[in-house]
């Protein structure tokens, strides 16, 4: 089986079998990362450009590592230090890179829809590495891979997404991806940080965090995105922590096992206490490891790969 589109722009509308294809492929590629020489020739001859118009640690490094593990040639670009600072447009930047024979463009951009715009004016495959407040599909895919590894399935899980839903592209991709994969999704956060039209989404809205903790098994805790807030949307970080923080005091009395994810970077002491971020419920560093495998799978499948791979197909580079 192959992906129908040559782009990965978002999870909204992606069929369940394509999500499962990516997750199965990522699981089959992950053992490569444990080899003494973690490199295979699968994308030899392909050229990938990573365009990061916004800061990133996890997404950028894991795309770059995924490309190296698959033997692609890759070049990376950040807004600072490029001709964007001289006023060059996104379209001109990418058309120039494309003239150097690029097969795939990975883009993170502050404008929602920037990857869709590029997909409409380039022959190359486009991968959305996070666009504005719209989607971050590979983050949701690595979250789903982590849940499948830890809990064995996604179907039937009750997942609560907690925090700044309004500004979160991670929330949007997870709402679409998890619902399609058979989980039931709930949202929990300040009313001012809920998106307009939340009632049209396939989610329930919890009245407060205690209700969510009673109902859900899995918690995707979001970062408060101070940089995207144009005005104060809650009174103080201290009040936010007391109402929506995953604190030691809140979790200690729980009589059930829960799983906590966070896309990073964490505001420690705000949405997560140190002891929770680094404690037994947390799978945050597993998410980071799986980010490399998921991005390898996406790049492989978009380049025409046919899905789940047996290890003998991945001889050492
Ligand atoms: N999760 C995530 O997108 O992290 P970065 O901003 O560090 O890439």
């Amino acid at each position: 089986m192959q992906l129908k589109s040559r782009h990965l722009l978002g999870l909204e509308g992606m069929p369940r079998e394509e999500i499962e294809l990516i997750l199965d492929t990522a699981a089959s590629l992950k053992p490569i990362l444990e080899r003494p020489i973690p490199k295979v020739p699968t994308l030899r001859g392909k050229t990938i450009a990573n365009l990061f118009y916004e800061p990133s640690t996890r997404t950028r490094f894991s795309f770059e590592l995924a490309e190296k593990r698959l033997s692609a040639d890759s070049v990376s670009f950040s807004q600072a230090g490029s001709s964007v600072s001289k006023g060059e447009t996104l379209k001109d930047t990418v058309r120039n890179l494309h003239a150097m024979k690029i097969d795939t463009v990975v883009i993170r951009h502050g404008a929602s829809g920037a990857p869709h715009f590029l997909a409409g004016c380039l022959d190359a495959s486009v991968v959305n590495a996070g666009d504005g407040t719209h989607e971050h599909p590979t983050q949701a895919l690595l979250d789903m891979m982590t849940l499948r590894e830890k809990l064995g399935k996604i179907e039937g899980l009750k997942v609560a997404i907690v925090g700044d839903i309004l500004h979160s592209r991670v929330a949007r991709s997870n709402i679409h991806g998890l619902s399609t994969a058979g989980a039931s999704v709930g949202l929990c956060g300040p009313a001012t940080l809920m998106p307009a039209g939340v009632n049209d989404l396939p989610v329930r809205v919890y009245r407060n965090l205690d209700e969510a903790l009673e109902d859900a098994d899995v918690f995707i805790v979001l970062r408060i995105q101070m940089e995207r807030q144009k005005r104060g949307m809650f009174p103080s970080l201290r009040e936010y922590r007391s109402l929506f923080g995953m604190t030691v005091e809140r979790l200690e009395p729980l009589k059930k096992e829960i799983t906590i994810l966070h896309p990073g970077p964490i505001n420690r002491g705000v949405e997560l206490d140190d002891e929770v971020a680094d404690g037994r419920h947390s799978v945050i560093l597993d998410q980071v490891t799986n980010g490399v495998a998921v991005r390898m799978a996406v790049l492989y499948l978009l380049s025409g790969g046919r899905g789940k791979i047996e290890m003998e197909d991945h001889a050492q580079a």
Side-chain angles (χ1 to χ4, degrees):
M1 184 180 164
Q2 283 179 294
L3 296 178
K4 287 197 188 68
S5 172
R6 65 195 172 94
H7 308 296
L8 177 63
L9 303 178
L11 297 191
E12 184 173 10
M14 179 178 269
R16 180 168 176 162
E17 57 272 18
E18 292 204 2
I19 289 175
E20 286 172 355
L21 172 67
I22 296 172
L23 299 181
D24 290 344
T25 305
S28 74
L29 289 167
K30 189 174 173 183
I32 292 168
L33 304 176
E34 303 298 330
R35 291 182 182 177
I37 301 173
K39 198 171 179 74
V40 292
T42 311
L43 291 187
R44 191 176 279 163
K46 300 285 182 191
T47 306
I48 301 174
N50 305 299
L51 309 189
F52 279 76
Y53 284 80
E54 283 191 329
S56 169
T57 298
R58 282 146 288 266
T59 310
R60 179 171 172 166
F61 276 26
S62 60
F63 267 112
E64 289 181 4
L65 272 177
E67 291 151 12
K68 290 183 197 312
R69 300 308 185 222
L70 294 174
S71 302
D73 295 316
S74 66
V75 286
S76 291
F77 157 107
S78 48
Q79 183 161 335
S82 75
S83 288
V84 172
S85 57
K86 299 176 204 162
E88 189 161 36
T89 64
L90 172 62
K91 186 172 180 181
D92 276 342
T93 301
V94 175
R95 280 166 58 90
N96 276 275
L97 290 173
H98 196 50
M100 299 180 213
K101 309 295 176 207
I102 300 290
D103 297 295
T104 303
V105 174
V106 175
I107 180 166
R108 166 169 290 192
H109 201 283
S112 300
H116 303 69
F117 169 74
L118 286 189
C121 59
L122 277 183
D123 288 336
S125 289
V126 176
V127 184
N128 182 358
D131 63 325
T133 58
H134 176 233
E135 281 223 36
H136 192 349
T138 55
Q139 177 68 46
L141 289 163
L142 72 88
D143 293 345
M144 286 191 270
M145 179 177 182
T146 306
L147 290 175
R148 279 215 320 194
E149 271 184 3
K150 165 112 195 266
L151 302 171
K153 58 172 189 170
I154 295 171
E155 175 91 48
L157 291 179
K158 286 185 169 184
V159 182
I161 305 178
V162 181
D164 181 356
I165 315 288
L166 177 65
H167 298 99
S168 179
R169 53 198 178 203
V170 175
R172 227 166 299 280
S173 287
N174 265 307
I175 289 167
H176 295 302
L178 286 165
S179 306
T180 303
S184 71
V185 180
L187 305 180
C188 178
T192 48
L193 292 176
M194 286 288 161
V198 68
N199 296 328
D200 300 329
L201 295 170
V203 295
R204 70 174 279 188
V205 178
Y206 294 110
R207 284 192 304 270
N208 55 48
L209 185 51
D210 292 325
E211 185 183 58
L213 280 166
E214 199 168 310
D215 185 61
D217 323 296
V218 173
F219 294 82
I220 300 177
V221 181
L222 301 174
R223 182 173 71 90
I224 287 293
Q225 300 189 45
M226 305 308 285
E227 73 277 18
R228 294 194 205 278
Q229 296 199 28
K230 294 188 176 56
R231 59 197 158 86
M233 293 175 122
F234 49 86
S236 68
L237 291 178
R238 191 177 157 147
E239 180 169 317
Y240 181 87
R241 177 180 181 273
S242 84
L243 291 175
F244 297 103
M246 285 287 191
T247 59
V248 175
E249 303 79 55
R250 197 166 250 132
L251 296 197
E252 234 162 31
L254 271 190
K255 295 200 172 30
K256 63 176 185 182
E257 276 304 309
I258 60 167
T259 303
I260 294 180
L261 299 88
H262 191 298
I266 302 168
N267 294 307
R268 287 176 178 262
V270 181
E271 66 260 6
L272 282 182
D273 279 1
D274 280 337
E275 297 83 343
V276 177
D278 306 326
R280 66 188 178 88
H281 301 300
S282 167
V283 291
I284 293 170
L285 291 179
D286 300 309
Q287 291 174 265
V288 177
T289 303
N290 288 336
V292 180
V294 156
R295 286 157 183 142
M296 288 167 76
V298 166
L299 294 169
Y300 163 73
L301 290 166
L302 291 180
S303 73
R306 300 194 72 88
K308 193 173 168 195
I309 302 151
E310 302 307 328
M311 291 315 289
E312 53 271 23
D313 297 335
H314 282 287
Q316 202 77 52

